[in-house]
Amino acid sequence: MALDFAAGCLGGAAGVLVGHPFDTVKVRLQVQNVDKPLYRGTMHCFQAIIRQESVFGLYKGIGSPMMGLTFINAIVFGVQGNAMRKLGRDTPLNQFLAGASAGAIQCVICCPMELAKTRMQLQGTGEKKSKNKMYKNSVDCLVRIYKREGIRGINRGMVTTLIREMPGFGVYFLAYDSLTRFLGCEPEDPYMIPKLLFAGGMSGIFSWLSTYPVDVIKSRLQADGVGGVNKYNGIMDCVRQSFQKEGWSVFSRGLVSTLLRAFPVNATTFATVTLFLMYMRNGQECSLQDSETQSVQLQPLQPQMQTTNMQAIVQQ
């Protein structure tokens, strides 16, 4: 399980660096005022942010996911791996259930982290240097929200986060497992890395497509109150108002930038995790084999005891 956590940390850090600019664009498109839109689409949003706020504008709020997502991925891959071991059989249903359980547990960290990220991404929109910054950084953002609104404030959007993450991560791991089996990702395959990248990227796309409308509502709820004005009374009120003003298209707002982000981020994450686990486990097997050889040479009269000890080590 420790290896799963370490691999998740590496995969999370790699994914954040690759995908954060796309996430900034996604959030800006999801929450912009439909009556006075600042951006016409994904590419225009990219161009406008770079022109008005410099390239660094795309990386606003990166502190929160850099701190949080590495730990979140560690939790996700650690819990999913442990859940699969507890469930015993490697079946599609168990892959989905293990992924869903991992998604549910990481919401405790994911929700406050995404709240801070969203608030930081919206701060100083259209300004190269924000004159009146409400928040210094992601930690300051959460502290200020906590002082004003308490625990409930920093967990704003928790229900929608749970609704998004449980099926989303279930689909995520189910799709990756199915694709790697279909593509035949074996260690001796010379095309293993491209196959892992493809399987990881597509699993991210499938995951986002399965829950994207919920993410739009979550972003709107977490952005609500910026500027001192609260528009929504809850999840259903947000759904109702958004649909009445913008129609069905509101539930796919920002989807293009999300899918553009999903492929490289999840390709990087899954490939990093899988290769790290393969490398570390191969290293452990080599160490165990060396230990076994030395023990056999030193204790030729105790083969039965040696076999028992080796089985215990491998199981640990």
Side-chain angles (χ1 to χ4, degrees):
M1 189 172 179
L3 285 180
D4 294 327
F5 275 100
C9 283
L10 285 174
V16 171
L17 291 173
V18 171
H20 192 76
F22 294 98
D23 187 71
T24 299
V25 171
K26 180 203 77 166
V27 171
R28 294 281 182 95
L29 290 171
Q30 284 180 334
V31 304
Q32 72 173 338
N33 189 332
V34 68
D35 297 321
K36 297 179 181 179
L38 295 173
Y39 313 112
R40 294 191 298 270
T42 301
M43 289 309 300
H44 180 253
C45 186
F46 263 110
Q47 294 167 352
I49 292 172
I50 294 172
R51 184 175 63 252
Q52 297 168 358
E53 306 170 45
S54 81
V55 173
F56 296 108
L58 293 170
Y59 287 91
K60 282 184 177 179
I62 195 173
S64 177
M66 185 58 77
M67 290 186 295
L69 272 180
T70 50
F71 190 52
I72 284 172
N73 268 29
I75 292 174
V76 166
F77 282 93
V79 170
Q80 192 271 345
N82 198 45
M84 284 300 298
R85 285 187 284 273
K86 294 289 185 183
L87 290 169
R89 296 177 59 201
D90 186 1
T91 65
L93 177 60
N94 285 349
Q95 285 286 348
F96 182 87
L97 292 175
S101 65
I105 290 172
Q106 57 89 42
C107 284
V108 177
I109 298 171
C110 176
C111 182
M113 180 210 75
E114 292 202 349
L115 174 65
K117 174 185 68 68
T118 298
R119 296 291 177 92
M120 292 295 294
Q121 286 172 327
L122 296 175
Q123 181 171 254
T125 299
E127 299 176 4
K128 194 166 188 177
K129 289 187 177 180
S130 302
K131 297 177 182 178
N132 298 312
K133 283 188 176 181
M134 184 176 292
Y135 311 115
K136 297 176 184 177
N137 50 50
S138 298
V139 174
D140 180 59
C141 177
L142 288 175
V143 169
R144 287 174 178 269
I145 293 172
Y146 176 75
K147 286 180 178 179
R148 287 198 312 269
E149 306 173 46
I151 292 292
R152 185 175 180 179
I154 62 174
N155 286 296
R156 182 190 291 267
M158 177 63 79
V159 175
T160 46
T161 302
L162 273 167
I163 295 171
R164 182 193 69 178
E165 298 293 73
M166 289 184 67
F169 273 102
V171 171
Y172 190 51
F173 283 100
L174 172 60
Y176 184 72
D177 179 68
S178 301
L179 284 169
T180 50
R181 290 176 188 275
F182 176 75
L183 295 171
C185 297
E186 300 296 336
E188 62 275 7
D189 187 347
Y191 299 105
M192 183 188 71
I193 292 179
K195 288 179 179 180
L196 289 176
L197 289 169
F198 178 78
M202 291 306 298
S203 67
I205 287 176
F206 292 144
S207 176
W208 274 110
L209 287 173
S210 68
T211 59
Y212 191 76
V214 181
D215 185 68
V216 175
I217 301 303
K218 181 201 71 71
S219 293
R220 293 194 168 202
L221 288 172
Q222 291 186 325
D224 194 32
V226 173
V229 179
N230 288 295
K231 295 166 58 179
Y232 310 118
N233 294 322
I235 297 172
M236 293 311 298
D237 183 54
C238 181
V239 172
R240 182 181 58 79
Q241 288 194 44
S242 299
F243 178 71
Q244 285 180 349
K245 284 188 176 181
E246 303 167 60
W248 289 108
S249 64
V250 67
F251 300 114
S252 62
R253 189 178 294 279
L255 180 60
V256 173
S257 60
T258 300
L259 297 182
L260 287 173
R261 168 182 174 266
F263 191 92
V265 166
N266 292 288
T268 304
T269 299
F270 259 123
T272 301
V273 169
T274 303
L275 292 172
F276 177 81
L277 288 174
M278 287 175 59
Y279 175 79
M280 294 302 294
R281 284 167 180 164
N282 285 338
Q284 284 184 342
E285 288 175 4
C286 290
S287 298
L288 290 172
Q289 289 171 359
D290 291 341
S291 299
E292 183 181 12
T293 302
Q294 291 174 2
S295 298
V296 169
Q297 290 173 348
L298 293 172
Q299 302 177 5
L301 298 179
Q302 298 178 338
Q304 183 66 37
M305 184 179 294
Q306 176 62 33
T307 302
T308 303
N309 291 340
M310 275 300 299
Q311 289 174 346
I313 292 171
V314 171
Q315 288 172 358
Q316 291 175 356

